[in-house]
Amino acid sequence: MKAAVWTDYGKIEVKEVPDPVPGKNEVLLKVLAAGVCITDLHVYTGMFLYGKPPHILGHEICGEVCGLGEDVSGVEIGQRCVVETSVGCGKCAACRRGDRHLCAVREEIGTAPHSGGYAQYVKVPAANVVPIPDCVSDEEGAILESAACPSGGLLKAGVRLGETVAVLGVGPAGLAFIQTAKAMGAGRVIAIARNRRRLERALRFGADEIICSSEEDVAGRIAELTDGRGADLVCETTGAPSIIEQTAELAANAGRILLYGLPEEGAPITFPVKTIIMKQLEVSGVENNPYVWEPLVKLVASGRVNLKDMVTHAFPLDRIEDAFAMLKDKKEDPIKIVVYPWR
Ligand SMILES: [Zn+2]
Ligand SMILES: [Zn+2]
């Protein structure tokens, strides 16, 4: 098959490799489309040390089941699906209670030993196959993972009816937080970002108010919009230390903070302990969880979460380096890019 292989730091080569063969409890998928994630860019350039070359990256996968390994049941040939990424050992306490994303060994599709979706075929555990209906397109399926992590965070924190939710950052994660928070009953969603042009697109994805942090005083505007109370839920997606430090100031008394954006390795962050204690805040770290996938597929199918307009660019797999270059230089301002291994 054809695959984009990460062969060395800064290098990805599209070449022929042997087809994967599904083992016990695994299925073979024909990859219909794969989402290009900024994390993969950071991994292959060596900015984020996670795994080693040679490896096939790609953890945002829409596929069609085309082969079944031994002992697979409940998955049918021809079924279109998305791939939930966490792979559990099946034996530790977390796996036994159904929390495979908290597995002691914790493996992920797209990270060794599991090859990813930048290829024509990929094998995955049958347990990771999440079926999608015909009305969800290959492109939407391909980027569903990027929305599943933020949406999973909201599922963990809970959004109470009518609450005010502040979302810091309007990249793909920010837009997913905005849309899912609205779908879960938020009364008002306030999007905050530096770049006004990017910020304005948050309005198209359901933000009620926008605050441009390069032009306005964010804390002052939040106070104004909430009668001085602050936001009930603050979702941080940028990973920028100064913004992470500001989250407590933006939260209401007894508010919740979801930390999602990863700061650069070793970046110093001054944790606002006093504000957290005095306001009695709840601070949670969030990442993928397996429970959000089926509900999110339903929200996408019903149109309440719009992934379609988040796919702004597409490339054949052969041009994956162009896709990464576009993500990196930001001139075209892509939201999400997908690659097609069969085009
Ligand atoms: Zn990703
Ligand atoms: Zn485990």
Side-chain angles (χ1 to χ4, degrees), residues 178 282 292:
I178 292 167
E282 269 176 48
V292 73

Side-chain angles (χ1 to χ4, degrees), residues 35-40 59-60 145-146 149 260 336:
V36 178
C37 180
I38 192 105
T39 311
D40 289 334
H59 54 269
E60 304 183 3
E145 193 271 347
S146 69
C149 298
Y260 179 79
K336 285 295 292 181

Side-chain angles (χ1 to χ4, degrees), residues 61-339:
I61 304 168
C62 179
E64 182 184 314
V65 179
C66 64
L68 304 177
E70 224 182 293
D71 286 350
V72 171
S73 59
V75 180
E76 313 252 311
I77 298 279
Q79 171 71 61
R80 288 171 65 252
C81 64
V82 290
V83 178
E84 200 270 292
T85 42
S86 28
V87 181
C89 69
K91 296 177 197 124
C92 73
C95 281
R96 288 203 313 272
R97 62 169 193 260
D99 290 332
R100 65 170 180 257
H101 62 303
L102 302 174
C103 172
V105 184
R106 195 159 184 268
E107 293 174 354
E108 281 178 318
I109 306 292
T111 305
H114 304 278
S115 282
Y118 297 149
Q120 289 182 313
Y121 295 100
V122 63
K123 65 171 180 172
V124 301
N128 291 60
V129 167
V130 181
I132 54 172
D134 292 344
C135 65
V136 175
S137 70
D138 297 346
E139 291 81 354
E140 292 167 299
I143 68 157
L144 196 125
E145 193 271 347
S146 69
C149 298
S151 303
L154 291 175
L155 195 68
K156 179 181 169 187
V159 175
R160 294 166 203 151
L161 210 58
E163 279 191 325
T164 296
V165 179
V167 178
L168 294 151
V170 292
L175 297 178
F177 271 113
I178 292 167
Q179 297 196 71
T180 305
K182 292 289 280 200
M184 288 174 74
R188 185 161 53 169
V189 175
I190 305 168
I192 302 145
R194 286 188 61 79
N195 179 319
R196 181 165 287 280
R197 191 164 49 95
R198 298 185 80 203
L199 184 60
E200 270 164 8
R201 73 187 179 195
L203 294 167
R204 291 208 323 269
F205 290 94
D208 301 288
E209 306 278 352
I210 52 175
I211 302 175
C212 184
S213 59
S214 56
E215 299 167 9
E216 299 171 274
D217 162 30
V218 175
R221 282 280 290 139
I222 291 268
E224 226 173 84
L225 291 167
T226 58
D227 297 325
R229 290 181 52 250
D232 301 300
L233 180 61
V234 179
C235 308
E236 205 302 306
T237 73
T238 71
S242 63
I243 299 178
I244 293 172
E245 287 163 2
Q246 199 184 23
T247 51
E249 189 189 354
L250 306 182
N253 288 342
R256 287 107 67 216
I257 295 172
L258 292 184
L259 297 179
Y260 179 79
L262 269 179
E264 226 170 276
E265 214 77 59
I269 295 175
T270 309
F271 207 57
V273 177
K274 189 175 162 196
T275 312
I276 291 169
I277 294 172
M278 299 313 282
K279 285 188 171 179
Q280 305 206 19
L281 305 178
E282 269 176 48
V283 181
S284 311
V286 290
E287 232 244 314
N288 179 43
N289 72 53
Y291 332 112
V292 73
W293 287 69
E294 266 107 7
L296 183 59
V297 167
K298 287 185 188 140
L299 290 180
V300 174
S302 69
R304 292 172 73 200
V305 167
N306 174 0
L307 295 185
K308 199 169 77 198
D309 292 336
M310 283 175 63
V311 180
T312 51
H313 297 81
F315 289 94
L317 182 65
D318 302 314
R319 292 186 54 204
I320 190 161
E321 285 198 283
D322 293 339
F324 280 125
M326 182 183 267
L327 262 192
K328 198 174 166 185
D329 87 2
K330 292 194 169 102
K331 217 168 40 219
E332 302 264 345
D333 228 352
I335 301 178
K336 285 295 292 181
I337 304 173
V338 301
V339 288

